Amino acid sequence: MTAVQEPTVEREIGRERRRKEDQRLITGRTRWTDNINLPGMLHLAMVRSPFAHAKIVSIDTTAAKDATNVVDVLTGADLGEAQGACINAWAITEDQVTPPHLPMPSDRVAFAGEVVAVVVARTAAEARDAAELVDVEYEQLPAALDLKEAATDAVLAHPDLGTNKSAFWKFDSAEAGTGGDVDAAIASARDGGIVIEREYRQQRLIPAFMEPRSVVVDPTGEQITVWSATQIPHILRFAIAATTGVPESKIRVIAPDVGGGFGGKLQQTPEEMIAFAVARRIGKPVKFTETRSESLMTAHHGRDQWQKLTLAADKDGKVTGLKVELLADLGAYVAIVGGGVPVLGAFMFNSIYKFPAYQFNCQTVLTNKTWTDAYRGAGRPEATYAIERMMDELAAELGEDPIEVRRRNWIDASEFPFTTVAGLEYDSGDYEKATRRAMEMLGYDELRAEQQRRRDAGDRVQLGIGVSTFTEMCGLAPSRVLGQLNYGAGGWEHASVRMLATGKVEVVTGASAHGQGHETAFSQIVADRLGVPFDDVEVLHGDTQISHKGLDTYGSRSLVVGGEALVKAVDKVIEKAKPLAAHLLEANVEDLEYVGGRFGVRGTDQGVTIQELAGAAFAAHNYPEDMEPSLDAEATYDPVNFNYPHGTHLCAVEVDTETGQVSIRKYACCDDIGNIINPLIVAGQVHGGLVQGIAQALWEEAVYDDSGTLVSGSFTDYLLPTTADTLSFEVDHTTSPSLTNTLGTKGVGEAGTIASTPAVVNAVVDAVRHLGINDIQMPCTPQRVWKAIQGAGSGGATPGAAMPHFSEDQPGQDSTEGAGA
């Protein structure tokens, strides 16, 4: 018998491939939404309210309609029900108070920047000029702006609702059966243990994506085609159909190349709905592209919470209980998943730790500010920040190294799978291994010694070392769990694999890319599993007519959910090909083996490649009678669990005690994201995430004045970091493969952002803690750091007014009983 040498196949998974999509992106050979120009296309400009809260008394469009090349000027009253509505897909409680959200209201505006009229003109410039001529008379109303004050209902954001309190959501480990009574744990710790209470502010942030939002609507074909710079083409299509009455089959949504999103394009926007309604009314294609100021003012914002934490521990520093009380600012409306963002964080306050008792209380609040929703990390950065700040506070109380205190409380590698006090099952991890590696990379012990020398010498510039050990829940799913949380959609993803006659492979995914590298990573997965060349795989996405099923991209779900759907589809292709291969090779199916894209007959040199089989199936000249002439397959995958990446991030900063200036000296992190598909893509995701998280710690904040006007409405005032503001990061990985998916992968897109913010703030506070400072409110600007130093001894930043108390039994009323009392 002839010895058969198996083909040598170079593995694609784990290979550092440059992104195949970058060629068209960096050379400008692509089409962003704003590049799309259609015959007879008209342009839109939005007329926006300058007031945070006001009645619309009248709108005079006469002068604007008479302006050069203006086709029409329309108001909310003109469009009526045709404009549809902006949906809330996640009512976190049955009694959630949810104000109606019309894309263009006709009676009252609830935030500065809300659209009150739209101008339709031949060019964008003429539309913008005419928008200045629309005369709107307003009757200004009191505005609810401060989150804590709004929670007291002193001023109502929506007077007709009678309250600003949208929903109260609670998790209690004693009630859930996942842990003990947190109030008992705190009471016990007050008698011989340690109780630490702190209040932290998560400032309001703006996603500030590179490409402004843009939408083009063409109503002239059999279908209405919508191009949009969106993360959610499939969900947007559903939302338009559900609120306008246009059949879903008559709507095609295309997300072309999208220039970033970070959650900020995870939205059904008023502008998309207005453009859709105007195009239908006029019968011609229309385009709207926002200015940067419009983007900063009206694209949804992120974070904006007050967090009060009470941590109980025994005298040895072992945590016995954690209680969280949260106020979350929704802005003027409950966004598509805005109310649920804090709920995602509810499961992460316990982080990597074995807390025996836990309670989470969240009150969402309506204000007259831009609505909030998911921003990179969506609830998990907020939770990680708070608990990692608290673990540093516990270490300071004990006078111990913060890493040692964390070690005392975290889950040991031998304890996985581990069910947390919040009820989630972590499948794999090794926190000690990642921490040791991060410490080596930073030179932790040497920097601690240098820090002590500087303190002893009373140096003007002090050294601080910040620690952040984190985990997160990725891959928003499974659908049954989301259903239990009252989420309005599932968590599955769909994929199909098409074997073309020439042997090339078309991959269709429901995940929609906006900079992550889907085309490259998915090509690597398919090439590896199918055994075809990487360059023979083409990935299609972002078009509801090509990809007819999908739930889009957010929550670090593309790889762990969408990638797994691809694996299942590829495996189906291979199974479908077996009978044809056996037929052509005149062999039994049981005698076949599939290696490197080739079916071979065991013990012989006979074989046929999957690409040759694709051609044979296409010709259909010779195939089994009971087989259809096609190898194409599709699959829908619904995960059985979230997945849980983790890591340790360490940051060394220098703080000038005379000026408050903070400089990052070194940043090292070791993440465990399971098996890695493409190390280059992972590095890019981590680097980008780090910069965004560091920016929250040091620079970024959306600021409103007393009248509700966004005063950080340009990049002059909203401080985004540049390459000059950051440094080279030292990044490494350990690997604990996920046990809940075939690829063993975990999410990475949000990891850097989640972990870096507390690492930096912990470092800043650590640098000046010996002066009597235990907190500095973000962003830690030189002015805030300097003020904290000047007020040393009072604890640093002051939280302001006390947080109101709420009861789960009376979500719309103030109470001195129940949660938070």
Side-chain angles (χ1 to χ4, degrees):
M1 186 174 291
T2 305
V4 179
Q5 184 175 358
E6 292 186 355
T8 301
V9 180
E10 185 177 2
R11 292 276 294 174
E12 281 292 339
I13 291 179
R15 185 175 177 181
E16 290 192 344
R17 274 202 178 271
R18 292 177 181 266
R19 303 196 319 178
K20 61 166 62 176
E21 53 267 64
D22 283 353
Q23 179 64 28
R24 70 175 186 272
L25 295 176
I26 64 178
T27 59
R29 298 182 180 182
T30 188
R31 287 207 305 175
W32 313 104
T33 302
D34 192 43
N35 296 143
I36 294 169
N37 291 295
L38 304 176
M41 187 173 72
L42 302 172
H43 295 263
L44 307 183
M46 304 297 166
V47 180
R48 300 183 183 274
S49 167
F51 300 112
H53 195 198
K55 288 182 180 178
I56 302 172
V57 177
S58 64
I59 303 177
D60 186 350
T61 62
T62 306
K65 285 181 176 179
D66 290 340
T68 304
N69 284 330
V70 168
V71 175
D72 208 346
V73 181
L74 300 166
T75 66
D78 295 327
L79 292 178
E81 294 183 357
Q83 64 178 312
C86 295
I87 65 172
N88 167 235
W90 195 351
I92 60 174
T93 63
E94 295 296 330
D95 61 351
Q96 175 177 289
V97 176
T98 308
H101 188 183
L102 294 176
M104 189 159 54
S106 57
D107 57 347
R108 184 178 58 88
V109 292
F111 70 98
E114 189 158 17
V115 181
V116 297
V118 56
V119 176
V120 188
R122 302 292 179 190
T123 69
E126 288 167 330
R128 287 194 294 269
D129 287 345
E132 298 290 331
L133 301 177
V134 176
D135 185 12
V136 185
E137 182 182 349
Y138 298 94
E139 178 186 324
Q140 195 169 355
L141 300 171
L145 299 170
D146 180 86
L147 175 55
K148 288 184 179 180
E149 291 180 3
T152 68
D153 289 339
V155 176
L156 296 178
H158 296 273
D160 55 315
L161 299 179
T163 182
N164 292 326
K165 303 179 195 63
S166 180
F168 179 86
W169 196 92
K170 177 183 177 181
F171 176 88
D172 189 292
S173 62
E175 296 174 1
T178 57
D181 186 315
V182 75
D183 289 321
I186 293 169
S188 177
R190 293 192 190 279
D191 184 19
I194 299 170
V195 175
I196 299 173
E197 295 183 352
R198 295 287 186 272
E199 196 169 313
Y200 298 122
R201 175 72 169 132
Q202 281 281 327
Q203 78 270 38
R204 179 175 280 245
L205 300 176
I206 302 176
F209 29 73
M210 184 179 294
E211 176 203 20
R213 296 174 303 164
S214 182
V215 57
V216 173
V217 182
D218 183 3
T220 59
E222 289 297 315
Q223 290 179 307
I224 303 174
T225 302
V226 180
W227 290 265
S228 181
T230 182
Q231 297 176 219
I232 54 167
H234 296 89
I235 294 172
L236 176 59
R237 180 195 192 201
F238 166 82
I240 294 173
T243 63
T244 63
V246 177
E248 194 172 355
S249 61
K250 293 296 184 182
I251 302 170
R252 178 184 183 183
V253 176
I254 303 170
D257 282 323
V258 176
F262 314 121
K265 292 176 181 171
L266 188 165
Q267 203 61 252
Q268 172 206 8
T269 70
E271 293 85 355
E272 288 165 331
M273 300 302 295
I274 293 168
F276 188 85
V278 171
R280 289 180 66 203
R281 181 185 178 100
I282 294 178
K284 292 184 178 182
V286 301
K287 178 196 287 187
F288 170 74
T289 300
E290 67 186 1
T291 65
R292 180 58 67 183
S293 293
E294 285 180 297
S295 178
L296 295 174
M297 180 170 57
T298 65
H300 79 245
H301 294 172
R303 313 287 194 254
D304 207 345
Q305 296 179 358
W306 275 106
Q307 306 167 312
K308 181 181 178 182
L309 279 76
T310 305
L311 183 143
D314 63 26
K315 62 181 181 175
D316 296 321
K318 193 106 180 221
V319 176
T320 57
L322 176 69
K323 186 173 187 176
V324 177
E325 297 166 271
L326 207 68
L327 280 180
D329 192 340
L330 299 178
Y333 298 103
V334 189
I336 194 165
V337 293
V341 167
V343 172
L344 286 176
F347 300 100
M348 289 285 101
F349 274 89
N350 54 283
S351 190
I352 65 173
Y353 306 114
K354 296 184 289 187
F355 296 165
Y358 170 60
Q359 188 183 99
F360 173 89
N361 307 277
C362 176
Q363 180 68 58
T364 57
V365 180
L366 296 161
T367 63
N368 294 117
K369 292 183 285 188
T370 300
W371 29 321
T372 61
D373 207 322
Y375 171 56
R376 200 170 189 170
R380 288 96 80 203
E382 296 92 314
T384 301
Y385 176 82
I387 190 56
E388 288 305 288
R389 290 287 295 111
M390 289 298 280
M391 294 305 286
D392 259 31
E393 293 303 295
L394 177 59
E397 181 72 21
L398 293 165
E400 295 187 21
D401 185 281
I403 289 180
E404 291 306 314
V405 173
R406 286 168 169 81
R407 279 194 175 111
R408 196 170 303 150
N409 287 281
W410 69 37
I411 304 160
D412 188 78
S414 64
E415 297 177 285
F416 290 98
F418 184 90
T419 300
T420 73
V421 72
L424 298 182
E425 183 178 276
Y426 295 175
D427 59 331
S428 66
D430 191 334
Y431 308 136
E432 176 64 38
K433 187 176 181 180
T435 301
R436 276 201 316 270
R437 178 63 187 130
M439 292 174 71
E440 292 170 2
M441 295 161 63
L442 188 77
Y444 187 83
D445 293 337
E446 294 84 354
L447 285 173
R448 282 292 181 202
E450 179 185 342
Q451 179 187 50
Q452 190 58 53
R453 290 195 298 271
R454 289 196 186 192
R455 285 187 179 178
D456 292 342
D459 282 2
R460 176 176 62 85
V461 178
Q462 288 290 311
L463 179 65
I465 302 167
V467 179
S468 174
T469 51
F470 85 104
T471 188
E472 62 158 321
M473 51 194 287
C474 287
L476 195 59
S479 297
R480 289 185 182 89
V481 173
L482 295 178
Q484 292 168 5
L485 293 172
N486 210 33
Y487 185 70
W492 51 264
E493 194 47 83
H494 185 78
S496 60
V497 176
R498 303 170 182 165
M499 298 300 300
L500 305 182
T502 56
K504 307 300 183 183
V505 184
E506 277 185 348
V507 172
V508 182
T509 174
S512 181
H514 48 279
Q516 295 90 337
H518 288 181
E519 294 175 33
T520 302
F522 287 166
S523 292
Q524 289 180 270
I525 292 170
V526 172
D528 225 37
R529 198 148 187 110
L530 198 56
V532 300
F534 171 81
D535 290 329
D536 284 355
V537 182
E538 187 77 17
V539 177
L540 308 176
H541 61 86
D543 183 337
T544 61
Q545 191 147 294
I546 294 172
S547 171
H548 68 285
K549 289 178 66 177
L551 284 175
D552 306 320
T553 298
Y554 38 85
S556 296
R557 68 187 304 272
S558 296
L559 177 60
V560 297
V561 186
E564 199 66 17
L566 272 180
V567 167
K568 291 186 175 298
V570 169
D571 289 349
K572 287 183 178 180
V573 168
I574 296 170
E575 285 301 309
K576 287 184 73 171
K578 275 184 181 179
L580 179 58
H583 179 79
L584 295 178
L585 294 171
E586 298 181 341
N588 292 322
V589 169
E590 295 77 14
D591 294 330
L592 298 182
E593 55 185 0
Y594 190 73
V595 179
R598 179 180 183 270
F599 284 103
V601 181
R602 290 186 181 89
T604 76
D605 59 358
Q606 297 181 67
V608 61
T609 68
I610 191 75
Q611 293 176 297
E612 291 169 335
L613 290 172
F618 171 77
H621 295 160
N622 183 15
Y623 64 96
E625 290 185 2
D626 58 349
M627 178 184 173
E628 64 177 10
S630 170
L631 303 184
D632 299 350
E634 60 183 59
T636 301
Y637 172 67
D638 197 352
V640 298
N641 193 3
F642 299 99
N643 71 93
Y644 304 95
H646 70 84
T648 297
H649 288 228
L650 302 175
C651 179
V653 304
E654 292 183 330
V655 176
D656 189 322
T657 58
E658 292 185 1
T659 66
Q661 180 66 41
V662 176
S663 302
I664 297 179
R665 174 166 156 181
K666 192 172 185 179
Y667 195 104
C669 62
C670 183
D671 290 307
D672 189 327
I673 57 168
N675 294 329
I676 294 175
I677 304 299
N678 186 321
L680 283 179
I681 291 177
V682 166
Q685 288 283 336
V686 172
H687 287 179
L690 290 176
V691 172
Q692 282 188 291
I694 293 169
Q696 178 176 7
L698 297 180
W699 299 297
E700 292 187 36
E701 183 175 23
V703 179
Y704 286 84
D705 64 18
D706 292 340
S707 66
T709 300
L710 182 70
V711 296
S712 54
S714 74
F715 285 151
T716 302
D717 302 297
Y718 189 81
L719 300 182
L720 287 180
T722 69
T723 52
D725 300 308
T726 55
L727 71 165
S728 295
F729 308 108
E730 296 195 25
V731 177
D732 202 356
H733 305 278
T734 55
T735 303
S736 301
S738 173
L739 304 181
T740 60
N741 65 66
T742 305
L743 294 169
T745 57
K746 302 177 183 180
V748 70
E750 297 162 308
T753 304
I754 291 170
S756 58
T757 306
V760 174
V761 176
N762 277 342
V764 174
V765 174
D766 183 59
V768 294
R769 187 182 289 278
H770 64 293
L771 302 176
I773 297 167
N774 62 33
D775 189 34
I776 299 172
Q777 189 171 303
M778 295 188 291
C780 298
T781 61
Q783 184 183 38
R784 283 183 175 165
V785 174
W786 182 84
K787 282 186 174 181
I789 293 170
Q790 299 308 301
S794 63
T798 55
M803 284 184 39
H805 300 302
F806 301 101
S807 166
E808 59 182 318
D809 299 320
Q810 296 175 299
Q813 303 294 325
D814 287 343
S815 175
T816 57
E817 298 178 356

